[in-house]
mmCIF file with all atom_site columns, all heavy atoms in Angstrom:
data_model
loop_
_atom_site.group_PDB
_atom_site.id
_atom_site.type_symbol
_atom_site.label_atom_id
_atom_site.label_alt_id
_atom_site.label_comp_id
_atom_site.label_asym_id
_atom_site.label_entity_id
_atom_site.label_seq_id
_atom_site.pdbx_PDB_ins_code
_atom_site.Cartn_x
_atom_site.Cartn_y
_atom_site.Cartn_z
_atom_site.occupancy
_atom_site.B_iso_or_equiv
_atom_site.pdbx_formal_charge
_atom_site.auth_seq_id
_atom_site.auth_comp_id
_atom_site.auth_asym_id
_atom_site.auth_atom_id
_atom_site.pdbx_PDB_model_num
ATOM 1  N N   . THR A 1 19  ? 131.630 77.768 108.925 1.00 0.00 ? 19  THR A N   1
ATOM 2  C CA  . THR A 1 19  ? 132.124 77.369 107.620 1.00 0.00 ? 19  THR A CA  1
ATOM 3  C C   . THR A 1 19  ? 132.049 78.533 106.639 1.00 0.00 ? 19  THR A C   1
ATOM 4  O O   . THR A 1 19  ? 131.054 79.250 106.592 1.00 0.00 ? 19  THR A O   1
ATOM 5  C CB  . THR A 1 19  ? 131.274 76.193 107.078 1.00 0.00 ? 19  THR A CB  1
ATOM 6  O OG1 . THR A 1 19  ? 131.380 75.109 107.973 1.00 0.00 ? 19  THR A OG1 1
ATOM 7  C CG2 . THR A 1 19  ? 131.734 75.761 105.707 1.00 0.00 ? 19  THR A CG2 1
ATOM 8  N N   . LEU A 1 60  ? 126.659 81.019 90.391  1.00 0.00 ? 60  LEU A N   1
ATOM 9  C CA  . LEU A 1 60  ? 127.676 80.721 91.403  1.00 0.00 ? 60  LEU A CA  1
ATOM 10 C C   . LEU A 1 60  ? 129.081 80.736 90.798  1.00 0.00 ? 60  LEU A C   1
ATOM 11 O O   . LEU A 1 60  ? 130.040 81.133 91.457  1.00 0.00 ? 60  LEU A O   1
ATOM 12 C CB  . LEU A 1 60  ? 127.385 79.386 92.084  1.00 0.00 ? 60  LEU A CB  1
ATOM 13 C CG  . LEU A 1 60  ? 126.172 79.367 93.000  1.00 0.00 ? 60  LEU A CG  1
ATOM 14 C CD1 . LEU A 1 60  ? 125.859 77.940 93.451  1.00 0.00 ? 60  LEU A CD1 1
ATOM 15 C CD2 . LEU A 1 60  ? 126.370 80.280 94.196  1.00 0.00 ? 60  LEU A CD2 1
ATOM 16 N N   . GLU A 1 69  ? 134.570 91.141 99.640  1.00 0.00 ? 69  GLU A N   1
ATOM 17 C CA  . GLU A 1 69  ? 133.680 92.201 100.121 1.00 0.00 ? 69  GLU A CA  1
ATOM 18 C C   . GLU A 1 69  ? 132.394 92.319 99.292  1.00 0.00 ? 69  GLU A C   1
ATOM 19 O O   . GLU A 1 69  ? 131.441 92.957 99.708  1.00 0.00 ? 69  GLU A O   1
ATOM 20 C CB  . GLU A 1 69  ? 134.409 93.550 100.187 1.00 0.00 ? 69  GLU A CB  1
ATOM 21 C CG  . GLU A 1 69  ? 134.968 94.046 98.880  1.00 0.00 ? 69  GLU A CG  1
ATOM 22 C CD  . GLU A 1 69  ? 136.381 93.544 98.567  1.00 0.00 ? 69  GLU A CD  1
ATOM 23 O OE1 . GLU A 1 69  ? 136.880 92.630 99.252  1.00 0.00 ? 69  GLU A OE1 1
ATOM 24 O OE2 . GLU A 1 69  ? 136.970 94.076 97.627  1.00 0.00 ? 69  GLU A OE2 1
ATOM 25 N N   . LYS A 1 77  ? 139.435 82.263 89.464  1.00 0.00 ? 77  LYS A N   1
ATOM 26 C CA  . LYS A 1 77  ? 138.969 81.358 88.419  1.00 0.00 ? 77  LYS A CA  1
ATOM 27 C C   . LYS A 1 77  ? 137.943 80.396 89.016  1.00 0.00 ? 77  LYS A C   1
ATOM 28 O O   . LYS A 1 77  ? 137.969 80.099 90.202  1.00 0.00 ? 77  LYS A O   1
ATOM 29 C CB  . LYS A 1 77  ? 140.121 80.557 87.825  1.00 0.00 ? 77  LYS A CB  1
ATOM 30 C CG  . LYS A 1 77  ? 141.169 81.410 87.139  1.00 0.00 ? 77  LYS A CG  1
ATOM 31 C CD  . LYS A 1 77  ? 141.728 80.723 85.935  1.00 0.00 ? 77  LYS A CD  1
ATOM 32 C CE  . LYS A 1 77  ? 142.819 81.563 85.312  1.00 0.00 ? 77  LYS A CE  1
ATOM 33 N NZ  . LYS A 1 77  ? 142.347 82.482 84.320  1.00 0.00 ? 77  LYS A NZ  1
ATOM 34 N N   . LEU A 1 90  ? 126.714 79.218 76.810  1.00 0.00 ? 90  LEU A N   1
ATOM 35 C CA  . LEU A 1 90  ? 127.693 80.299 76.782  1.00 0.00 ? 90  LEU A CA  1
ATOM 36 C C   . LEU A 1 90  ? 127.042 81.671 76.657  1.00 0.00 ? 90  LEU A C   1
ATOM 37 O O   . LEU A 1 90  ? 127.444 82.627 77.323  1.00 0.00 ? 90  LEU A O   1
ATOM 38 C CB  . LEU A 1 90  ? 128.679 80.070 75.632  1.00 0.00 ? 90  LEU A CB  1
ATOM 39 C CG  . LEU A 1 90  ? 129.875 80.994 75.576  1.00 0.00 ? 90  LEU A CG  1
ATOM 40 C CD1 . LEU A 1 90  ? 130.696 80.911 76.855  1.00 0.00 ? 90  LEU A CD1 1
ATOM 41 C CD2 . LEU A 1 90  ? 130.732 80.642 74.376  1.00 0.00 ? 90  LEU A CD2 1
ATOM 42 N N   . ALA A 1 97  ? 127.312 87.492 83.094  1.00 0.00 ? 97  ALA A N   1
ATOM 43 C CA  . ALA A 1 97  ? 128.573 88.201 83.360  1.00 0.00 ? 97  ALA A CA  1
ATOM 44 C C   . ALA A 1 97  ? 128.395 89.702 83.168  1.00 0.00 ? 97  ALA A C   1
ATOM 45 O O   . ALA A 1 97  ? 128.902 90.508 83.962  1.00 0.00 ? 97  ALA A O   1
ATOM 46 C CB  . ALA A 1 97  ? 129.681 87.669 82.460  1.00 0.00 ? 97  ALA A CB  1
ATOM 47 N N   . SER A 1 135 ? 142.439 65.427 88.221  1.00 0.00 ? 135 SER A N   1
ATOM 48 C CA  . SER A 1 135 ? 143.378 66.143 87.358  1.00 0.00 ? 135 SER A CA  1
ATOM 49 C C   . SER A 1 135 ? 143.528 67.597 87.805  1.00 0.00 ? 135 SER A C   1
ATOM 50 O O   . SER A 1 135 ? 144.634 68.127 87.866  1.00 0.00 ? 135 SER A O   1
ATOM 51 C CB  . SER A 1 135 ? 142.887 66.083 85.909  1.00 0.00 ? 135 SER A CB  1
ATOM 52 O OG  . SER A 1 135 ? 143.674 66.897 85.091  1.00 0.00 ? 135 SER A OG  1
ATOM 53 N N   . ALA A 1 161 ? 127.734 71.299 93.226  1.00 0.00 ? 161 ALA A N   1
ATOM 54 C CA  . ALA A 1 161 ? 128.848 72.230 93.335  1.00 0.00 ? 161 ALA A CA  1
ATOM 55 C C   . ALA A 1 161 ? 129.786 71.682 94.397  1.00 0.00 ? 161 ALA A C   1
ATOM 56 O O   . ALA A 1 161 ? 129.340 71.290 95.476  1.00 0.00 ? 161 ALA A O   1
ATOM 57 C CB  . ALA A 1 161 ? 128.348 73.614 93.751  1.00 0.00 ? 161 ALA A CB  1
#
Side-chain angles (χ1 to χ4, degrees):
T19 300
L60 290 171
E69 59 272 12
K77 297 216 183 270
L90 188 58
S135 173

